[in-house]
Amino acid sequence: MKTVLGDEQLTFLAELRTYLDGLDPALVEATRAENIEDPMQPRAHGRRFLKRLGADGWLGVAWPREYGGQGRTAIESWLMAEELYNRRLPNGLLTLNAIGPTLMLVGTAEQKAEYLPRIRAGELEFAIGYSEPDAGSDLASLRTRAVRDGDGYLVNGQKIWTTGASVATHLWLAVRTGRPEQRHRGVSLFITPMDAPGITITPIITQGGERTNAVFFDNLRIPASQRIGAENEGWSGIVTALNFERMFYHNEPRWELRQLTDWAAGAGLLDGDTAEAHELQAVVGEHAVDVEICRLFALRGARMLAEGHVPHAEASVNKIWWGELRQRICDTGLDLVGEEGTIATGSAYAPAHGHLEHGLRSSPVWRFGGGTNEIQLDIIATRGLGMPR
Ligand SMILES: Cc1cc2nc3c(=O)[nH]c(=O)nc-3n(C[C@H](O)[C@H](O)[C@H](O)COP(=O)(O)OP(=O)(O)OC[C@H]3O[C@@H](n4cnc5c(N)ncnc54)[C@H](O)[C@@H]3O)c2cc1C
């Protein structure tokens, strides 16, 4: 680790571990159990846990001191996300590391004063309202409409795949304020509380069992003061938040590989001088290399952020590698486990506590979540390699 992290970062990590080790074990255990059940839905204990971290000054470690942060770099917040993930605890990443920093870049002074202290205290949780039934990859065709009405806007339409909407306090919402043919030049960005009149949320359960949502707007009223950026100029805030979000994916494959190796070791598959054991060691070794590469891609992004750059193609490389690796590892796990691999999570008979079976169901979803891998390949070709659009 010394080769990629400096002494200052290793000291930070040691301090963080001491702090986490000293937290109330009952709070940590309750939060962990809830988080393992569905990491896409931070709920009551997760919120209590994040508020504890906020109150103790451990949220927003990379935020500038003027916004109440510790003034460290994105590398420390990346390290913190990794440490929390390894302990299977929530990290509030989307809100803290995507919405917060985007607000710092494009929010007004009033918006920063209104939201940043509460985000840093762990009080707010944002859901992202971009995708619609007919606007996913082609987000610039979105149709949910906001029409000017006095000192505010009236919003009508529908979002889909709005993960966390049922537990979030606020929605980061992209809507059409211009003409459809203006495409991304006619899109504005707003913040609205999730409990505002005119919002209805219905669940969608993914094949991994995690919940996401459809969200409907019926004359939702949003004050103009809650528009992020100028009217019709919300696109850069949308893209910036997405790039911040994609950069922090990397922890899951390491955990999934550990489930696989622990199970294989327990079943004696890695023992002895047999052809099967050597073959399996080779496959596991290859996955371990890929897990390290995944970590280094994410660290490269954190380093870019630390140096004041927003990763674009780099974030896409990271997202593809992470998502596809998860699937490869779970495929290997299920091949090894064989028929018993179909025993679902929750059964006492499920090998590896059902984590590989669950991983196989849930990992393909991430070919789509955060922007599909095909679209990431486009971004790598055009923005990364400079090929024509
Ligand atoms: C688990 C999960 C969580 C999500 N969470 C959120 C969230 O919180 N908020 C939110 O707003 N959205 C969220 N999404 C939505 C996600 O961003 C979209 O699914 C994604 O952008 C793709 O849109 P789509 O589903 O409409 O597929 P489509 O855009 O219709 O794509 C269908 C297929 O066509 C391919 N395709 C489309 N256009 C091109 C092209 N130009 N070149 C090559 N191939 C192309 C795609 O790669 C894909 O394989 C989530 C999705 C999932 C699965």
Side-chain angles (χ1 to χ4, degrees):
M1 203 192 277
K2 270 234 157 192
T3 51
V4 285
L5 298 172
D7 285 342
E8 205 178 319
Q9 285 140 3
L10 292 173
T11 306
F12 165 81
L13 191 55
E15 285 170 9
L16 172 66
R17 286 178 173 158
T18 305
Y19 166 72
L20 292 174
D21 289 344
L23 283 172
D24 172 14
L27 171 64
V28 170
E29 256 331 297
T31 306
R32 181 177 292 139
E34 187 187 78
N35 193 51
I36 287 177
E37 197 181 312
D38 186 351
M40 278 158 63
Q41 297 268 37
R43 282 157 296 168
H45 298 299
R47 176 104 345 267
R48 274 202 307 137
F49 175 79
L50 289 172
K51 278 187 184 164
R52 178 76 266 153
L53 263 56
D56 294 339
W58 279 100
L59 291 186
V61 293
W63 284 25
R65 289 190 188 281
E66 63 174 304
Y67 298 124
Q70 289 187 6
R72 299 179 192 262
T73 73
I75 298 180
E76 279 85 357
S77 68
W78 174 85
L79 271 177
M80 182 162 172
E82 182 173 75
E83 184 63 26
L84 288 169
Y85 186 87
N86 288 343
R87 293 171 188 242
R88 304 295 284 164
L89 292 167
N91 51 35
L93 262 186
L94 184 68
T95 302
L96 263 173
N97 286 350
I99 301 299
T102 305
L103 266 176
M104 288 175 208
L105 290 175
V106 297
T108 61
E110 292 74 23
Q111 288 163 348
K112 291 179 197 175
E114 182 174 357
Y115 291 109
L116 293 179
R118 292 162 71 205
I119 292 178
R120 209 209 50 74
E123 289 169 9
L124 304 188
E125 180 87 33
F126 279 73
I128 305 288
Y130 293 165
S131 304
E132 299 181 359
D134 292 318
S137 303
D138 185 17
L139 190 59
S141 66
L142 65 84
R143 289 198 298 217
T144 293
R145 183 142 203 103
V147 177
R148 192 79 200 211
D149 179 49
D151 60 354
Y153 292 80
L154 279 183
V155 179
N156 285 284
Q158 182 197 342
K159 295 290 169 182
I160 195 166
W161 316 122
T162 321
T163 307
S166 60
V167 289
T169 56
H170 289 77
L171 184 64
W172 181 257
L173 177 64
V175 296
R176 179 151 306 286
T177 39
R179 296 185 311 280
E181 60 274 20
Q182 283 178 287
R183 305 268 301 159
H184 63 278
R185 292 195 181 84
V187 171
S188 300
L189 198 52
F190 288 89
I191 292 178
T192 178
M194 276 315 315
D195 59 2
I199 298 184
T200 311
I201 304 168
T202 60
I204 302 173
I205 307 299
T206 62
Q207 65 177 28
E210 289 90 0
R211 176 175 173 170
T212 179
N213 305 280
V215 179
F216 301 86
F217 310 101
D218 182 11
N219 283 329
L220 163 70
R221 191 176 164 76
I222 307 184
S225 62
Q226 299 302 311
R227 196 188 60 228
I228 308 298
E231 187 172 285
N232 293 334
E233 290 179 18
W235 197 252
S236 76
I238 292 172
V239 173
T240 303
L242 266 176
N243 283 322
F244 281 140
E245 175 192 341
R246 279 184 201 130
M247 219 41 259
F248 279 86
Y249 299 141
H250 88 285
N251 291 303
E252 292 81 358
R254 179 182 302 276
W255 188 79
E256 278 149 0
L257 182 59
R258 209 172 70 217
Q259 304 313 305
L260 192 160
T261 48
D262 284 356
W263 177 81
L269 298 184
L270 292 163
D271 301 343
D273 191 16
T274 64
E276 289 79 10
H278 286 300
E279 197 182 323
L280 179 53
Q281 282 162 5
V283 173
V284 167
E286 237 172 81
H287 287 327
V289 171
D290 289 348
V291 165
E292 286 311 312
I293 293 172
C294 191
R295 185 169 191 267
L296 291 173
F297 277 146
L299 180 59
R300 173 178 66 169
R303 226 175 255 292
M304 287 179 71
L305 288 175
E307 288 165 6
H309 310 289
V310 176
H312 292 282
E314 296 82 1
S316 298
V317 169
N318 186 53
K319 195 262 163 176
I320 292 182
W321 189 261
W322 165 84
E324 294 192 348
L325 178 56
R326 294 188 70 181
Q327 252 182 290
R328 284 202 296 280
I329 292 173
C330 293
D331 277 345
T332 302
L334 265 283
D335 280 351
L336 282 179
V337 171
E339 269 182 24
E340 282 179 36
T342 56
I343 303 175
T345 317
S347 163
Y349 301 102
H353 310 290
H355 293 313
L356 296 173
E357 182 272 341
H358 175 250
L360 195 76
R361 277 186 290 122
S362 71
S363 56
V365 163
W366 292 106
R367 290 187 63 85
F368 291 85
T372 72
N373 286 5
E374 290 76 17
I375 297 301
Q376 306 314 308
L377 289 173
D378 267 2
I379 295 172
I380 294 166
T382 52
R383 292 207 68 152
L385 302 175
M387 294 170 78
R389 281 172 192 267

